[in-house]
Amino acid sequence: MNECYYDKRMDFFYNKTNTDTVDEWTGPQLIVVLCFGTFFCLFIFISNSLVIAAVVKNKRFHFPFYYLLANLAAADFFAGIAYVFLMFNTGPVSKTLTVNRWFLRQGLLDTSLTASLVNLLVIAVERHMSIMRMKIHSNLTKKRVTFLIISIWAIAIFMGAVPTLGWNCLCDITACSSLAPIYSRSYLVFWSVLNLVVFFIMVVVYIRIYMYVQRKTNVLSSHTSGSISRRKTPVKLMKTVMTLLGAFVVCWTPGLVVLLLDGLNCTYCGIQNVKRWFLLLALMNSVMNPIIYSYKDDEMWSTMKRMICCSSEDKSHDRRSSRVPSTVLCRSTDTSGNYIEDGIIQGTICGKGDLGDKGNS
């Protein structure tokens, strides 16, 4: 019968798995890393708080898509908390951690990743349901959206706790990985493959949506007397969400591939040399998302700017002409019967003839 090591500190597992605990990571190098990490985490907290506050404050954002977008910002905010905890429990400190504290450190990171991933998957399904029916508004009610958000966090917390619940190597040291000394290699393979498969599914879904909208827009453009900008707006709206997904995949895929290689026990892959950089890349995703929100949506930027400046000045009209018009949906008496074809052909949405003010809800 295998002996279990629940009462050991992490130095025991690091030594058993020959894991690099970066004893040299002290002095100026540690100070620089902590300074940069602190700056980025503060930016994550402030910027994602502004996104959530903007959705709550601006009634034009009170639609299913924006509720899910706010939840994605909440996942990024949670990621900031996980990174702060990691900063003060890594490097030489890692050796002194108890098993439970190390599980908490990694569980926070896994939970934040899962929350973002599942949230993006739900947004993909919501967009697919709406766009494929050529509807501007989603049929999701507030109760359903609330249920989805609760489910997202329930799944995220569960996935973050799986190693703690038993899928670990505390009773089988030979199965331990080198990057995560008390995680089983089999779990790392499962975790990384699962996430990479979900990445692939979402990419396929968004490519299908993008191609469908572009094809539909080209067909309708011959019947439209409005501007090219108006006819191309559905395609531009999808680019916002696809940019978010693209940033997520680019930032997280290298780290997941490294975990997969570690799970496959690749001893010649040099994963110890790149793990810190890929973790920083994952951190950058939570920094990039609020920038994408504000850059792609004029209304979001205007709301955030008014909250920062504490003024009621009118929207700025000097933004770049290449920017996508506001993706906010104007209210109507029928929130489920508006169709993209009608918006493109009639050109009367929001009284401007511009679908940009009614997309992406």
Side-chain angles (χ1 to χ4, degrees):
M1 183 175 180
N2 293 334
E3 182 180 358
C4 296
Y5 301 94
Y6 294 102
D7 58 339
K8 297 290 185 180
R9 288 192 174 270
M10 288 306 301
D11 58 343
F12 172 82
F13 299 98
Y14 281 118
N15 293 333
K16 285 288 185 180
T17 57
N18 295 319
T19 301
D20 177 17
T21 54
V22 290
D23 286 325
E24 74 280 2
W25 193 25
T26 57
Q29 185 179 4
L30 179 59
I31 294 174
V32 171
V33 170
L34 289 178
C35 288
F36 273 98
T38 301
F39 171 78
F40 284 127
C41 287
L42 285 175
F43 180 83
I44 289 172
F45 293 143
I46 296 172
S47 58
N48 284 287
S49 295
L50 284 173
V51 172
I52 297 172
V55 173
V56 173
K57 181 178 180 180
N58 194 331
K59 292 183 178 180
R60 291 185 175 185
F61 291 138
H62 291 182
F63 293 94
F65 173 79
Y66 284 99
Y67 292 144
L68 294 172
L69 204 64
N71 192 50
L72 184 60
D76 287 326
F77 187 95
F78 184 85
I81 296 175
Y83 291 126
V84 168
F85 191 84
L86 174 65
M87 278 195 304
F88 294 99
N89 291 276
T90 191
V93 180
S94 299
K95 288 184 175 182
T96 66
L97 298 178
T98 62
V99 167
N100 289 334
R101 192 172 182 85
W102 196 93
F103 272 136
L104 176 61
R105 189 188 81 173
Q106 298 304 122
L108 291 174
L109 291 172
D110 293 347
T111 299
S112 65
L113 168 61
T114 305
S116 296
L117 182 62
V118 178
N119 204 94
L120 282 170
L121 183 60
V122 172
I123 290 176
V125 174
E126 190 270 344
R127 286 292 85 195
H128 187 275
M129 292 171 58
S130 300
I131 299 298
M132 287 301 173
R133 298 173 183 175
M134 295 305 291
K135 287 186 177 182
I136 297 174
H137 294 282
S138 171
N139 292 327
L140 292 174
T141 63
K142 287 186 177 180
K143 288 184 178 180
R144 289 180 179 177
V145 173
T146 301
F147 173 77
L148 286 174
I149 290 175
I150 294 174
S151 299
I152 288 170
W153 285 102
I155 294 172
I157 293 172
F158 173 75
M159 291 303 296
V162 166
T164 310
L165 297 176
W167 199 345
N168 54 61
C169 62
L170 294 177
C171 296
D172 185 8
I173 296 297
T174 59
C176 291
S177 71
S178 61
L179 289 180
I182 54 177
Y183 276 13
S184 296
R185 288 194 298 272
S186 60
Y187 173 74
L188 289 186
V189 172
F190 162 78
W191 170 256
S192 53
V193 169
L194 175 63
N195 284 283
L196 290 172
V197 168
V198 175
F199 283 4
F200 178 77
I201 292 174
M202 288 193 296
V203 170
V204 171
V205 168
Y206 277 115
I207 289 176
R208 184 168 183 265
I209 294 174
Y210 179 82
M211 293 177 64
Y212 178 82
V213 172
Q214 191 173 44
R215 184 173 65 251
K216 198 72 173 180
T217 302
N218 291 335
V219 171
L220 293 173
S221 62
S222 60
H223 304 288
T224 307
S225 59
S227 65
I228 295 177
S229 171
R230 183 198 316 156
R231 297 197 297 266
K232 296 298 183 182
T233 297
V235 178
K236 292 180 179 179
L237 298 179
M238 286 309 305
K239 287 181 179 179
T240 302
V241 185
M242 292 179 70
T243 302
L244 290 172
L245 176 61
F248 188 80
V249 171
V250 169
C251 290
W252 280 99
T253 298
L256 291 174
V257 171
V258 166
L259 289 178
L260 177 60
L261 293 175
D262 186 32
L264 296 174
N265 200 23
C266 180
T267 57
Y268 302 101
C269 297
I271 55 179
Q272 293 289 345
N273 300 324
V274 297
K275 63 178 183 179
R276 302 180 204 96
W277 301 109
F278 288 164
L279 183 61
L280 288 175
L281 182 61
L283 169 65
M284 290 305 298
N285 179 241
S286 297
V287 175
M288 292 168 60
N289 282 345
I291 297 175
I292 295 172
Y293 304 149
S294 59
Y295 183 82
K296 289 291 186 178
D297 192 323
D298 283 321
E299 184 72 20
M300 178 70 75
W301 168 253
S302 298
T303 304
M304 293 170 65
K305 187 169 66 173
R306 284 197 297 270
M307 289 189 297
I308 294 174
C309 300
C310 298
S311 65
S312 57
E313 62 184 23
D314 294 332
K315 297 178 184 178
S316 172
H317 298 289
D318 59 354
R319 308 295 297 280
R320 296 181 183 178
S321 59
S322 63
R323 293 267 307 275
V324 181
S326 173
T327 59
V328 180
L329 302 178
C330 293
R331 291 283 185 180
S332 65
T333 54
D334 181 5
T335 60
S336 62
N338 294 323
Y339 290 81
I340 291 178
E341 293 100 320
D342 296 337
I344 297 176
I345 296 174
Q346 296 175 8
T348 58
I349 296 177
C350 297
K352 294 181 181 179
D354 191 341
L355 185 61
D357 287 333
K358 295 204 67 160
N360 240 7
S361 65

